[in-house]
């Protein structure tokens, strides 16, 4: 019973904190109680004469282990390859699109491209901006960084490249 309760309690903080480790721990709690239930059902099945119940419980448990392994392997390889950030549920994060929208609201930005990647709990990446003019570059770079960081608390380390529209890049 405790793993069932704890697993459910950990899911919401994992989403709010974008903490994949906490999500994995919640998934392990779920796997623990599912494995325990499957084992109990297998033993009870043998007790009432179903010779195949223990094998069925073992198959159920092994399918769950293989599924978790494949899911976690895909997650880790994707993180290593710097793919687009995902939520803890595995859905594509809206953060890059929101950062781009925030940058396009800056009066001096004509075009914006955003590349973000996950590094633990935070996002790092690059901003490629086309500016109408490149006067006062240091202030514009800082303004772009602040605009990107204001979108999401996880936007952490950002490199900004500003291209001058008049000079072709």
């Amino acid at each position: 019973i405790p793993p069932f309760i704890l697993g459910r309690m950990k899911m919401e903080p994992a989403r709010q904190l974008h903490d994949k480790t906490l999500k994995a721990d919640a998934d392990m709690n779920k796997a623990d109680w599912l494995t325990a239930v499957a084992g109990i059902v297998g033993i009870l099945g043998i007790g009432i004469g179903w010779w195949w119940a223990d094998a069925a419980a073992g198959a159920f448990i092994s399918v769950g282990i293989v599924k978790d392994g494949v899911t976690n392997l895909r997650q880790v390889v994707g993180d290593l390859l710097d793919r687009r950030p995902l939520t803890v549920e595995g859905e594509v994060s809206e953060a890059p699109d929101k950062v781009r929208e925030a940058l396009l609201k800056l009066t001096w930005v004509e075009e914006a491209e955003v590349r973000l990647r996950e590094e633990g709990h935070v996002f790092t990446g690059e901003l490629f901006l086309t500016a109408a003019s490149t006067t006062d570059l240091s202030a514009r770079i800082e303004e772009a960084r602040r605009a990107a960081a204001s979108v999401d608390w996880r936007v952490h380390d950002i490199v900004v490249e500003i291209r001058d529209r008049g000079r072709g890049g």
Side-chain angles (χ1 to χ4, degrees), residues 25-85:
D25 189 38
D27 289 342
M28 287 303 298
N29 285 145
K30 179 180 177 183
D32 286 347
W33 72 262
L34 283 174
T35 301
V37 168
I40 291 168
V41 168
I43 291 169
L44 291 176
I46 289 176
I48 60 172
W50 297 339
W51 60 268
W52 48 266
D54 192 39
F60 175 77
I61 292 168
S62 66
V63 167
I65 291 170
V66 170
K67 178 190 169 289
D68 285 346
V70 169
T71 301
N72 291 328
L73 181 64
R74 290 181 69 203
Q75 175 72 32
V76 168
V77 170
D79 287 347
L80 288 173
L81 295 175
D82 290 337
R83 71 153 171 251
R84 186 175 173 148

